[in-house]
Structure formats: C-alpha cells, structure tokens
Amino acid sequence: MKFLLTALSALAFVASAYAQQITNELDPCVMIINGENVPRSEFEYNFRKNQAENVIDKKSLKEYVELFINYKLKVLAAKDAQLDTLTSFKKEYADCRNRIVFPTMITDEDIENEAKNIYNETLQSIGPDGLIKCSHILLTVKADATPEEQQAIKNRIDSALNALANGADFQTLAKNISQDKGSAANGGKIDQWVPHGRFVKEFDMAAFALQKGQISNPVRTQFGWHIIKMDDRKQFEPYEFHRNDILNFIEKRNLRTAIAQNAVEKKAKEQNTTTEKILSEQAQCLSEHDNNTKYMLKEYHDGLLLCEVSDKEVWKKADNDTDGQQIFFKKNKSKYKWDTPRFRGIAYYTKTKADLKEVKTVLKKNDFSKWSDVLKENFNSDASNLRVRAEKGLFKIGTNALVDSIIFKINTTPKMIKDFNYHDVYGKLLKQPDSLEDVKAEVVSDYRDYLEKQWIIELRKKYTVNVFMDEIEKIEPTH
C-alpha cells in the first residue's frame, strides 16, 4: 500500500511537471525580477495597453521593457514595505476587484428573472383596471372664492358640458377655455398612459369609471371643476412586449450590480460564509481561466500599490521637503531662467488716496508670502466695508493690465472697479527668479522627477533583474 501511494505521488509529480513544461513553452518567462518569474503573457498584456489608440506616450518594445521593470520594482518595494497589508489598501483593492467580479456572479437567466420580477411588480401595481389616456377641461376655483364666484364657475362648467352635448368639439373647447395651461394647448389631452393613483382621488375615480369616448359630468377637485373625456384605455401588455425596454432599464440604471450583490449575499448565506470570501474565490477562479481577467486584477492591485509607494517615496517627499527643494533650486538655478522679466507684487485698488499710500507702508514691513493676510488684517477685516481690492502674484507681460501699464510701460487701459477710484502696483521687477517661490511649481515638479530617478537607481541596486530579450522580441508589433 505504501509503495502504491509513493508511486502515485511520483506519477502525479511527473504529470504536474510535464504540464508546467508545456505551459512554460506556451508562455515562457521573459524576465526574472528578484527571483520572481514574469511570463510573456503578463508583459504582453501591459505592453498592448501602452500601444492602445488613446495612449499618447507610446513606447517601443525596448523602451517599454525598462518602463515595465521600473514598475515591477516599485511594486516590489511596496510589498517589502508591507503596504499591501494596510486596511485602507485592502478595502480599495476589494472595491476595484468587485467591479470586475460582480458581473460574473450572475447569468443571463438571472437578468431575465429580474426583468420578469420588475414586469410582475409593475403589472400588480397597475391592477385589473389597466391604463387610461384621457383629456380634460379645467376651470380653476380659488381657495378664497366667494359663494357667488364659485357658483359662477359652476355655471360656466355646466355650460361647457351642454355645449359638448350639443356637438361642440372637445379639443377646440379645451383650447379656448381650459385653465390647465399644460394640457389646454394640446386640446386638453394628458398624453400618456396612466394607472390608478396618478391623479387626485376625485379625478381618478371619475376617469376610470368612463369607457372609451365617454365624457364625464363636472368633477370637483382641489383645483376646481373638470370635464373628463376618456380617449383610450387598455390592459398592460404581456411580458414579451415590454421585455427589451425592461432589459434596457436594467442596464441604464446599472441594476446588474445590485442583482449580483443580492446573488452573492444569498450564496454566502447558503454556504454560511462571507461575501468577501465568495468574491475572492470567484476572482481566483476567473484568474485561473482567463489571462485578461487575471492581469486586469493584477493591474488594479499593483497599480494601487504603486500609487501608495510613489506617494510615500516621491510625491509627498517632493511636496514637503522644503530644504531639499531649496538645495535642488540652487543647484539648477540656471534652468529656471525667464525669457522676459516678471513682476512679483500686487496690483491694487483703493477707495481713498490715503489708503493707496498706506498699503505700501504696511507691505514694506512684511514678507511677500504674508501680504494677503496683512491686507486682510489691516484693510479688509470688515467684509461689509472692503477698503482694498488686490491681485497678488508673479506677473508676466499680458497677465494684468494694471501691471502692464505701470511696470512694463505698455499702452493699455486698466479695468476700473466701481467705488475704487485709486490704483497702483507694489512689488519688485525681476529679470530672473531670485528665490524658490518665484518658480515653486516648476521646481517641485522637477524635484519629483529627480527623486524618482534616484529611487529607481536604488531599487536597481537592491533587487536583481534578468531580462530575456530573445523571448520579448517574439512579441508581434502592433499595427
């Protein structure tokens, strides 16, 4: 017995190895990153996405190899930092995964059954009296109308009914006297199929009591007096008549997700497990049978990790490292030269000539970065009585007419502001940036690029990378 079990185990091992060999031949390894094989199918999936029509920065095959390696190294760094164990990451990935998995948890039969449920609920709500189309003539009665005014309106509606009985055309009469502006223009027609309960009670009861072509006696509602004409009535059509409309309704309202959610919850209850486990197992099953799904899920997973680790290693560091920004700016100051001068300061308007001078006096005592707060504190603390209107910034020619006129000596007319009759500028004309703040956005962007390049160098030293270009070059180019 022991010999038989050993032999069977050996046979199973050989079969497994043989199957793996066939798989490797069909999907060979194109690179090994820190001991982890990358199959050609994974690389090709990502490369094809880079070659899609909507991608602007397309890369050649060789260029993409380097881009892909950097991507994999960053993800590896994220895993080493255990960012994939964070609760926030797990939740975000689960949400992404579920958007892919949920639609696969239901079949066309499930959708068909839901469509039938929607139909049956609608049929039940309509009831045996079916649907009607009707027209009406309305003479409104004001809530504060006197008895005499009310009687006058009743006499008018009775006269209208007599006219109809003597052959008057309903549509013409409705256009001439009905005070329901919405339907009067259409000859009194309420041009839609309506079930019980859509009209006020008195109107509803009178309308559904009519047969096609009949006209009601005057009906009093909260709006006034009505004469109702039954234009048509019908029973709700069979399911097949409405099937396509209901299926379109399900798609437009994205009810598939809700249907799938109910199916997953039902399955979890039947199996006495969690919806998370059901969805995770479904994702695993899909990945085993379809490479596109497998790599799409991997793309979401690794993409989220990439954002997490890049935020930690590059983006936040570049944004918050003021000392590093300063050092980077000083080393690369020549890169940030301007073709034309800039004016660092404010263009401002005041109500009084005294404030025009006082603004400069106050600003001289403070750093440029604090000017907005200083102006608010000294001149605009009372929001109902602003004394100064100002625009602060780094101006180049053409961005502010007042600066253009006074500083750059351009023949232009500054826009005037009502009640603010005095205007001037205050600041400093710069031929080239003399501080980080003058080019902060450009420096931070370049500093990010610098930090990323340094990070890649470190990752390349830390992790081993082996690339098999002969296998990669077998990938057929896109057309």
Side-chain angles (χ1 to χ4, degrees), residues 151-298:
Q151 186 59 49
I153 296 169
K154 178 63 168 66
N155 292 341
R156 285 185 64 202
I157 203 75
D158 287 341
S159 296
L161 185 63
N162 288 334
L164 292 169
N166 290 320
D169 179 66
F170 192 95
Q171 289 191 35
T172 303
L173 192 60
K175 286 180 180 179
N176 290 335
I177 72 168
S178 180
Q179 294 173 321
D180 175 11
K181 294 181 180 179
S183 65
N186 196 30
K189 287 182 179 295
I190 302 170
D191 201 17
Q192 55 182 304
W193 290 103
V194 179
H196 263 306
R198 293 292 177 87
F199 300 125
V200 292
K201 184 179 178 181
E202 299 85 356
F203 191 107
D204 188 86
M205 291 177 63
F208 272 88
L210 300 172
Q211 295 303 313
K212 184 176 179 180
Q214 285 186 326
I215 295 175
S216 74
N217 288 321
V219 178
R220 179 65 193 270
T221 72
Q222 66 198 60
F223 303 106
W225 285 101
H226 307 257
I227 297 173
I228 307 167
K229 178 177 178 288
M230 177 57 64
D231 295 323
D232 203 357
R233 62 187 307 160
K234 67 176 182 179
Q235 291 298 319
F236 194 48
E237 295 86 353
Y239 170 71
E240 286 301 325
F241 182 88
H242 292 284
R243 178 177 179 272
N244 288 339
D245 288 337
I246 298 173
L247 291 175
N248 287 334
F249 171 80
I250 288 173
E251 294 301 328
K252 287 180 180 178
R253 293 295 182 91
N254 197 26
L255 296 181
R256 278 181 173 269
T257 300
I259 297 167
Q261 178 75 42
N262 291 334
V264 171
E265 289 175 357
K266 181 180 178 182
K267 189 173 182 180
K269 190 173 182 180
E270 289 172 351
Q271 298 181 5
N272 192 28
T273 186
T274 63
T275 57
E276 167 61 27
K277 186 176 181 183
I278 295 286
L279 291 167
S280 180
E281 289 175 349
Q282 178 71 354
Q284 181 63 33
C285 181
L286 291 169
S287 296
E288 290 172 356
H289 292 87
D290 178 56
N291 271 349
N292 276 340
T293 303
K294 176 171 73 174
Y295 294 136
M296 190 185 302
L297 288 167
K298 189 175 180 60

Side-chain angles (χ1 to χ4, degrees), residues 309-322:
V309 74
S310 296
D311 190 47
K312 177 185 174 186
E313 298 293 337
V314 177
W315 302 333
K316 281 184 179 177
K317 189 179 290 186
D319 292 346
N320 300 327
D321 182 11
T322 54

Side-chain angles (χ1 to χ4, degrees), residues 39-95:
R40 188 168 68 192
S41 58
E42 179 184 353
F43 176 84
E44 187 169 0
Y45 169 87
N46 287 276
F47 175 66
R48 297 292 183 209
K49 291 201 72 171
N50 176 260
Q51 300 300 299
E53 289 184 6
N54 61 337
V55 176
I56 297 174
D57 187 23
K58 295 180 183 179
K59 303 293 184 184
S60 68
L61 190 60
K62 288 185 178 180
E63 287 174 329
Y64 191 75
V65 168
E66 297 305 310
L67 197 67
F68 183 78
I69 291 171
N70 292 344
Y71 168 74
K72 296 292 281 186
L73 291 176
K74 292 173 187 177
V75 172
L76 189 57
K79 290 178 179 178
D80 282 353
Q82 298 186 325
L83 298 182
D84 55 340
T85 66
L86 297 175
T87 302
S88 57
F89 167 78
K90 289 180 178 179
K91 183 181 183 305
E92 194 170 2
Y93 171 65
D95 290 341

